């Protein structure tokens, strides 16, 4: 076995095609298109390719990362205007004149300028959430559009003409058929690198954004960086499309870079399949071709010219959102019997380095007089507790006692109003959950937080994020395969460790709730922690599953791991833990051995019903 993606057909299943064969047929058809199609359709395919580049960035940004942008057309304009101005302006300084001497130099310049602008805009826009984020992208999209039209050196609303053709090995690409291959080389390179990126440590971090910031940060993912990465990549895709557009048209003006075109690009991503890489191609093809046909047909139907196609697109968007929320690509892919790709694990991959566990009995975690107030509500009041290496401590109490709030103070999800939290002797109050995760603390959640469309193996591998180091570029060009094999091997070990081996390649969303809770424990273990915080891990488990979980926790305890557990199942808790802390109304009312707690009058009255 190896760590690459392989394909397998289930025994007795109908014969299915190899993905490589299907891809090969697609590439042959793509290469032959200019040789057999009329000039009009070759031109149309060029525009499909340009739109697909922008839509692909939106698939990464919106479909995968969950960040909606209406302003991508402005980045297309940055790429187009950069090369148009540099290649046509007179009396430029020497160094700018040198850059403008070749369209390939202006491509690099455009990418640098676009990346810089994207970082500046992203540093402001990506701090917004909810409906404010798309509104923010609309704001700067409109601003850049009017900037293009109002700058005299950019030709105003009349634009810039006389843009030179692109030369390749001394050969000028002066017609649509010649330019076609350049456009589609860009598209295929973008598809290839995007698929590679998503199939990597960095890609899992990006996909984890949809599972929520709290979960991702708790697994060690720098969510701010991940959001900025996909924002910049989407902008660079759009910039490359703008560069190609300028040299294809040999003319630019602001019209193709307005907000309405940005909305059209978003339509393409959603119609094709916002979470599907190949959906960008489908969406761009459907919208571009349909737009052209409708512009030809509808004026004949209505007897006058107008933007009637916009009405059709609006209706189509509503239908897609109602009937095919995953877009058209899954429907199209279902028509072709292609064998499903499945990852395999390389047992020979070098195991990841494990940190030594602290000595048995060493105090791992200590909370000192932790208080958390939300306005006039006191959720935690002077809470103190400690957990030692090789110990299981239970934190129990009625619903609303403040247990999950306390977990958030300990793990860095929230910051105490007063008091302190020491982890391995270091104060971590006010530190981010990502920083604390890096010190060796990992957690699960009261409400399961998984990526339902990702496999069990991939979900667990998110936990090992901080144990890898390869960045975006190595991932995009598959230079991270050795590290990826090691991360997947570690994830597989943890999946087997918690008893989910038979579900390793199943989608996490297909598991029962109890199994999903166990999966969260595997993900937490994948980070190589010395302290586990488990929030109601036995909820939804059957008796045998609880017994298996208890055995796993005892094994972790014997290895020197500290475990802090919140749980309502008293039979499970009292037969497992070493000590118990009881909370009520945000305060500690008792602490001691399980037998002592079970006979404590205050606990019996407050939590166990006075029995």
């Amino acid at each position: 076995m190896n760590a690459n993606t392989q394909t397998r057909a289930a025994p007795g299943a109908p014969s299915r095609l190899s993905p490589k064969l299907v891809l090969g047929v697609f590439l042959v058809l793509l290469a032959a298109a200019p040789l057999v199609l009329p000039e009009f359709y070759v031109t149309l395919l060029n525009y499909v390719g340009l739109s697909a580049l922008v839509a692909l960035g939106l698939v990464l940004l919106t479909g995968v990362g969950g960040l909606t942008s209406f302003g991508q057309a402005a980045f297309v304009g940055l790429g187009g205007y950069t090369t148009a101005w540099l290649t046509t302006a007179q009396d430029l300084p020497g160094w700018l004149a040198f850059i403008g001497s070749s369209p390939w130099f202006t491509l690099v310049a455009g990418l640098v300028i676009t990346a810089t602008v994207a970082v500046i805009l992203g540093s402001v826009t990506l701090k917004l959430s909810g409906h404010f984020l798309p509104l923010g992208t609309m704001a700067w999209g409109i601003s850049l559009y009017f900037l293009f039209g109002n700058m005299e050196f950019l030709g105003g609303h009349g634009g810039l003409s006389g843009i030179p053709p692109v030369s390749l090995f001394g050969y000028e690409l002066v017609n649509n058929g010649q330019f076609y291959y350049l456009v589609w080389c860009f598209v295929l390179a973008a598809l290839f690198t995007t698929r590679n990126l998503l199939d990597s440590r960095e890609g899992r971090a990006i996909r984890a954004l949809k599972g929520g910031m709290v979960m991702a940060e708790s697994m060690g993912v720098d969510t701010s960086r991940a959001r900025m990465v996909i924002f910049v990549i989407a902008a660079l895709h759009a910039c490359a499309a703008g560069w190609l557009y300028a040299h294809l048209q040999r003319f630019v003006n602001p019209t193709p870079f307005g907000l309405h075109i940005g909305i059209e690009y978003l339509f393409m991503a959603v119609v094709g399949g916002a979470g599907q890489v190949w959906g960008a191609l489908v969406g761009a093809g459907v919208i571009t071709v349909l737009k052209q046909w409708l512009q030809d047909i509808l004026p004949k139907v209505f007897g006058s010219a107008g933007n009637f196609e916009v009405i059709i697109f609006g209706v189509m968007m509503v239908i897609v959102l109602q009937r095919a929320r995953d877009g058209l690509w899954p429907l199209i892919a279902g028509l072709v019997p292609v064998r499903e790709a499945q990852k395999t694990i390389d047992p020979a991959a070098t195991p990841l380095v494990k940190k030594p566990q602290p000595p048995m009995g060493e105090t791992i975690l200590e909370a000192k007089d932790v208080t958390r107030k939300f306005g006039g509500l006191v959720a935690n009041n002077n809470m103190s507790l400690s957990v030692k290496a090789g110990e299981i401590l239970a934190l129990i109490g009625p619903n609303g006692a403040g247990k999950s709030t306390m977990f958030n103070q300990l793990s860095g999800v929230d910051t105490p109003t007063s008091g302190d939290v020491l982890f391995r002797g270091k104060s971590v109050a006010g530190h981010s959950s990502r920083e604390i995760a890096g010190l060796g603390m990992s957690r699960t959640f009261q409400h399961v937080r998984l990526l339902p469309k990702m496999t069990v193996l991939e979900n667990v591998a998110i936990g090992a994020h901080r144990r890898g180091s390869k960045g975006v570029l190595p991932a995009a060009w598959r230079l991270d395969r050795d590290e990826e094999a090691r991360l997947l091997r570690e994830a597989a070990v943890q999946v087997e460790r918690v008893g989910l081996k038979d579900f390793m390649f199943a989608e996490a969303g297909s598991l029962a709730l109890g199994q999903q809770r166990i999966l969260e424990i595997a993900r937490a273990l994948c980070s190589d922690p010395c302290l586990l915080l488990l929030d109601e891990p036995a909820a939804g488990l059957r008796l045998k599953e609880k017994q298996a979980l208890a055995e796993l926790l005892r094994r972790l305890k014997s290895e020197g791991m500290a475990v802090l557990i919140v749980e309502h199942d008293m039979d499970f808790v009292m037969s497992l833990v070493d000590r118990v802390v009881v909370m009520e109304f945000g305060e500690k009312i008792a602490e001691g051995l399980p037998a002592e707690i079970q006979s404590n009058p205050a606990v019996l009255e407050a939590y166990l019903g006075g029995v």
Side-chain angles (χ1 to χ4, degrees), residues 22 30 50 58 68 121 131 165 175-176 185 280 283 294 315 332 368 370 386 401 434 456 458 502-503 549 574 604:
V22 175
L30 197 63
L50 297 179
L58 283 168
T68 303
L121 294 175
H131 60 278
N175 63 49
N176 286 320
C185 280
L294 292 175
V315 173
I332 295 172
K368 295 182 177 181
V370 170
S386 64
R434 174 168 48 87
V456 168
E458 290 177 305
D502 293 340
F503 303 96
L549 173 60
M574 296 303 176
L604 293 174

Side-chain angles (χ1 to χ4, degrees), residues 309-471:
E309 72 276 2
V310 176
I311 301 172
I312 303 295
F313 289 157
V315 173
M316 184 171 68
M317 180 62 77
V318 172
I319 293 172
V320 168
L321 291 176
Q322 286 186 335
R323 303 294 183 184
R325 295 194 175 186
D326 292 330
L328 298 179
W329 171 250
L331 302 178
I332 295 172
L335 300 176
V336 182
V338 179
R339 290 201 298 270
E340 187 176 346
Q342 178 175 288
K343 287 182 179 295
T344 56
I345 310 304
D346 183 3
T350 306
L352 295 176
V353 177
K354 287 186 172 292
K355 294 178 289 190
Q357 289 289 346
M360 296 286 267
E362 177 183 304
T363 299
I364 300 294
L365 179 71
E366 186 175 9
K368 295 182 177 181
D369 301 321
V370 170
T371 298
R372 183 65 173 106
K373 298 179 181 179
F374 298 95
L377 174 66
V378 181
N380 294 141
N381 187 26
N382 292 321
M383 273 296 301
S384 296
L385 58 80
S386 64
V387 190
K388 296 179 173 60
E391 177 186 44
I392 303 177
L393 174 70
L395 183 63
I396 68 172
N399 287 329
K403 304 182 298 297
S404 293
T405 302
M406 187 65 186
F407 254 40
N408 289 341
Q409 312 309 307
L410 299 175
S411 60
V413 173
D414 199 5
T415 302
T417 305
S418 63
D420 201 4
V421 177
L422 302 177
F423 182 51
R424 306 203 67 180
K426 177 182 178 181
S427 175
V428 295
H431 289 239
S432 70
S433 54
R434 174 168 48 87
E435 293 176 285
I436 297 174
L439 298 174
M441 184 190 300
S442 197
R443 66 167 296 180
T444 64
F445 297 89
Q446 181 180 8
H447 303 290
V448 174
R449 301 189 183 188
L450 299 171
L451 283 304
K453 293 296 184 181
M454 287 172 59
T455 65
V456 168
L457 179 69
E458 290 177 305
N459 269 278
V460 173
I462 292 172
H465 180 76
R466 290 187 67 96
R467 303 176 72 182
S469 61
K470 297 294 185 182

Side-chain angles (χ1 to χ4, degrees), residues 37-219:
L37 292 177
E39 179 75 10
F40 170 78
Y41 285 103
V42 175
T43 302
L44 205 56
L45 284 175
N46 279 337
Y47 287 108
V48 169
L50 297 179
S51 298
L53 268 179
V54 187
L56 183 60
L58 283 168
V59 164
L60 194 61
L61 185 65
T62 302
V64 178
L67 307 174
T68 303
S69 172
F70 290 97
Q72 297 307 108
F75 289 130
V76 179
L78 277 177
Y81 267 103
T82 297
T83 192
W85 179 65
L86 288 174
T87 55
T88 61
Q90 304 297 320
D91 301 323
L92 290 173
W95 63 280
L96 278 179
F98 173 75
I99 295 175
S101 65
S102 168
W104 295 104
F105 293 159
T106 63
L107 171 61
V108 175
L111 293 173
V112 171
I113 291 171
T114 301
T116 303
V117 172
V119 168
I120 294 171
L121 294 175
S123 63
V124 177
T125 308
L126 296 179
K127 293 179 181 178
L128 304 173
S129 60
H131 60 278
F132 294 108
L133 175 59
L135 287 174
T137 65
M138 292 172 67
W140 54 252
I142 293 171
S143 298
L144 287 175
Y145 168 73
F146 280 105
L147 183 68
F148 298 145
N150 289 324
M151 301 296 286
E152 288 189 15
F153 76 96
L154 295 180
H157 288 283
L160 296 172
S161 59
I163 301 171
V166 175
S167 295
L168 195 60
F169 304 114
Y171 185 77
E172 289 188 345
L173 308 180
V174 293
N175 63 49
N176 286 320
Q178 296 165 343
F179 208 82
Y180 169 91
Y181 292 104
L182 179 63
V183 168
W184 283 94
C185 280
F186 270 73
V187 174
L188 292 174
L191 287 168
F192 173 78
T193 54
T194 302
R195 282 179 59 85
N196 290 345
L197 175 61
L198 293 176
D199 182 31
S200 70
R201 166 183 171 271
E202 287 280 3
R204 285 188 293 273
I206 293 167
R207 288 187 282 172
L209 294 174
K210 273 200 166 181
M213 299 298 177
V214 172
M215 182 277 285
E217 287 278 340
S218 296
M219 294 300 108

